[in-house]
Amino acid sequence: MASSTKAKRGPNGPKWRSDAATATLNDARGGTDDGGRPSASNSNPEKAMEQEKELEIVYSKDASSLDVAFDLLSILIVRYRLNRSDEVLDEIESKCIKEPFYKLRFHQSRAFVRYKQARYADCIKEFELQEDLIADGVAGACPGRDSDGFCHSIALNENIGHCLSSMNRLEDAEKRFTAALRLMQSAESEGVDVKETKDDIGGILVGLGLVKDRLGDAEGAVSVLQAAVTHYRKVYGEDGSTLIAKALTSLGRCKELIEKLDEAGGHFEEAVRIFDLRAGKGPLLAGALGHLGKNQLKRQQFKSATASLYSAVELEVQKDALDLNLIWELIEALKTCWIGLLNTKKAFAEPAAELGKRAAEMAMAKTPNDWKHHNGDLDSNIHGTTALIYMLGGEFAFAARDFEQARVHLGKAVQIFLRISGFECGSFLDACRKLQAALPAP
């Protein structure tokens, strides 16, 4: 992110804002690829990895430079290197709080990390600290608040809206998106060049669309989200930005809710293509592949769904901050695909079982093994998903006739299930033991 401030006119005269006050969650989610944004390099994952390595070297030699630290953070956050991002934030916190401008950037960066970690309550706290600084006019930001107590930053109101929406605080989220839209419309009426703010219009539309969806107005959500797609394509062309793919993904999810599965699948396919083109093999593509695979499964396209879901797992396990529940859901969907192929196209069932086995093995290689060294009962929230992944690994190994590995994975699943208290594991234990009993003698 740039460290300069830029002049901007608004509804009440000149508005000064810093880039730290106006970066959006879209920037942190993976890049717009249109130049001048923190994540532009994400269109080339190999280049982004090289940039990270280079910045790590510079940072190791000059850890006192906060500009270098924030350059490194911008790459780490985009690449979902969330554990490393937390380490850097911890290292620079004491320096940042002494200087208002860097304090502003610090709270924004930590908010982005917390959002990607799905720690939304913590994310809101960081955004609110950032809002206090902006309202106080820190680092050239426009001071003051509106009648609702909101600051005058379009992007920050949008960001808080997205976070509140993720927390299911839908009415509060709608107020924030509406405030952002009102600020933008007021700025435009004052003759502000909207070139720099077009991303915000699309982001606000996406946010409002998702709020409508969660309030049960799927038809209304589709209309707003389609407007966001149209807007982004007008700005960037048919496939010029990952923002188009993000809006298409949201649109596809709403189309599924109104049972337009084929149309939804088309949106997911297009999102996959754009993410692959503009962001490469990374977390954004992983999410789109997961949506596409689940959609193909709903349409009983079992072979295609297997390929999409396997590719999604392959990318999800590369994150340094794993979402084990999501990975389990993807592998469970792979199991449903395999069963579907057994019942419809048996010739494809064996290759599907092998892919499911590989997906489970990738996940098991990343699952935490602290349960082995933990004394006493295990926590279902922490270790239950690990056991379910081992169980799936055993089931797929059995289906692929790798009985030795099936025995190992099922044994680990049983060990964990037996040590989980306060959680009904009986059905899982029964399933594991029945499969164990069916294994041929070693």
Side-chain angles (χ1 to χ4, degrees):
M1 300 175 190
S3 59
S4 61
T5 57
K6 299 182 181 180
K8 177 174 285 191
R9 282 188 55 80
N12 299 311
K15 298 291 185 187
W16 286 85
R17 52 89 167 167
S18 67
D19 284 345
T22 57
T24 66
L25 281 167
N26 275 328
D27 303 330
R29 283 171 182 154
T32 62
D33 322 311
D34 52 285
R37 309 294 278 180
S39 53
S41 64
N42 202 48
S43 59
N44 186 328
E46 290 76 18
K47 183 179 178 182
M49 187 181 299
E50 287 302 314
Q51 286 182 330
E52 180 186 332
K53 291 178 181 177
E54 291 170 6
L55 284 166
E56 284 282 15
I57 292 171
V58 176
Y59 179 66
S60 68
K61 294 179 179 178
D62 187 13
S64 63
S65 171
L66 292 176
D67 287 327
V68 171
F70 282 108
D71 285 343
L72 174 59
L73 278 167
S74 69
I75 293 290
L76 292 172
I77 293 170
V78 165
R79 297 192 63 236
Y80 279 71
R81 301 266 285 117
L82 306 181
N83 294 338
R84 177 58 182 147
S85 296
D86 268 331
E87 291 174 358
V88 175
L89 287 166
D90 287 343
E91 290 164 1
I92 66 174
E93 181 173 9
S94 61
K95 297 175 186 175
C96 289
I97 61 175
K98 298 176 183 177
E99 300 185 44
F101 175 69
Y102 290 113
K103 188 175 182 181
L104 196 67
R105 297 185 72 180
F106 175 84
H107 288 304
Q108 176 180 264
S109 296
R110 192 151 67 179
F112 286 173
V113 172
R114 296 293 174 264
Y115 187 89
K116 287 193 171 189
Q117 292 169 331
R119 294 170 55 181
Y120 301 121
D122 292 330
C123 176
I124 285 290
K125 290 177 183 177
E126 297 298 327
F127 278 144
E128 288 176 344
L129 289 169
Q130 185 188 3
E131 184 169 45
D132 289 342
L133 293 167
I134 292 172
D136 288 342
V138 166
C142 177
R145 297 175 183 266
D146 66 14
S147 58
D148 290 317
F150 303 157
C151 73
H152 299 305
S153 167
I154 296 169
L156 185 54
N157 276 293
E158 179 194 337
N159 289 344
I160 294 174
H162 286 302
C163 196
L164 290 168
S165 179
S166 297
M167 297 172 72
N168 211 37
R169 292 172 56 184
L170 302 179
E171 292 182 358
D172 291 335
E174 189 172 27
K175 288 179 182 178
R176 286 289 186 167
F177 289 129
T178 301
L181 191 60
R182 183 172 61 247
L183 284 166
M184 182 166 294
Q185 291 170 341
S186 296
E188 289 175 343
S189 70
E190 291 289 321
V192 173
D193 180 1
V194 298
K195 183 177 181 181
E196 294 182 1
T197 60
K198 284 182 177 177
D199 290 356
D200 296 324
I201 296 171
I204 294 165
L205 290 173
V206 170
L208 284 171
L210 293 176
V211 166
K212 285 181 177 294
D213 167 28
R214 289 166 182 157
L215 286 171
D217 183 10
E219 292 281 1
V222 165
S223 176
V224 175
L225 290 168
Q226 186 62 66
V229 172
T230 301
H231 164 76
Y232 281 138
R233 281 190 156 146
K234 182 178 179 181
V235 175
Y236 300 111
E238 281 298 300
D239 54 16
S241 171
T242 56
L243 292 174
I244 301 166
K246 292 170 187 173
L248 282 166
T249 301
S250 297
L251 179 58
R253 292 171 69 181
C254 286
K255 288 281 185 75
E256 285 188 323
L257 292 175
I258 56 177
E259 299 300 324
K260 294 185 177 181
L261 296 181
D262 289 341
E263 290 183 24
H267 296 318
F268 293 139
E269 287 174 4
E270 187 67 358
V272 165
R273 185 184 71 79
I274 296 171
F275 279 136
D276 196 18
L277 175 67
R278 295 296 171 188
K281 303 291 190 284
L284 294 174
L285 181 59
L289 282 165
H291 288 304
L292 175 59
K294 291 175 183 177
N295 174 272
Q296 290 166 329
L297 177 56
K298 289 176 182 176
R299 290 185 285 156
Q300 298 187 356
Q301 297 177 358
F302 301 121
K303 187 169 181 268
S304 298
T306 297
S308 299
L309 293 164
Y310 176 79
S311 296
V313 174
E314 200 172 27
L315 294 173
E316 286 290 347
V317 298
Q318 294 177 21
K319 296 179 183 178
D320 73 343
L322 295 181
D323 185 340
L324 285 181
N325 287 321
L326 173 59
I327 292 171
W328 171 78
E329 287 176 8
L330 293 171
I331 302 173
E332 180 71 18
L334 277 169
K335 177 182 168 183
T336 306
C337 289
W338 171 68
I339 294 171
L341 287 169
L342 274 178
N343 294 327
T344 58
K345 296 181 180 179
K346 288 189 177 181
F348 297 112
E350 186 174 341
E354 184 59 36
L355 281 180
K357 175 174 170 285
R358 280 190 230 160
E361 287 170 349
M362 287 189 289
M364 288 185 290
K366 292 294 189 80
T367 54
N369 288 314
D370 60 328
W371 62 272
K372 296 179 181 178
H373 313 291
H374 184 85
N375 294 323
D377 292 337
L378 297 177
D379 187 335
S380 62
N381 294 321
I382 299 173
H383 303 106
T385 307
T386 299
L388 289 170
I389 290 173
Y390 276 123
M391 179 177 168
L392 282 169
E395 290 172 333
F396 272 120
F398 189 99
R401 303 187 68 79
D402 187 347
F403 300 126
E404 182 179 348
Q405 285 301 307
R407 185 173 287 107
V408 171
H409 301 328
L410 291 169
K412 289 180 179 179
V414 168
Q415 287 182 57
I416 298 173
F417 284 138
L418 287 171
R419 294 179 57 193
I420 292 177
S421 63
F423 181 71
E424 182 52 58
C425 298
S427 61
F428 300 131
L429 278 169
D430 289 344
C432 287
R433 284 169 169 161
K434 284 178 182 177
L435 210 52
Q436 284 176 318
L439 289 167

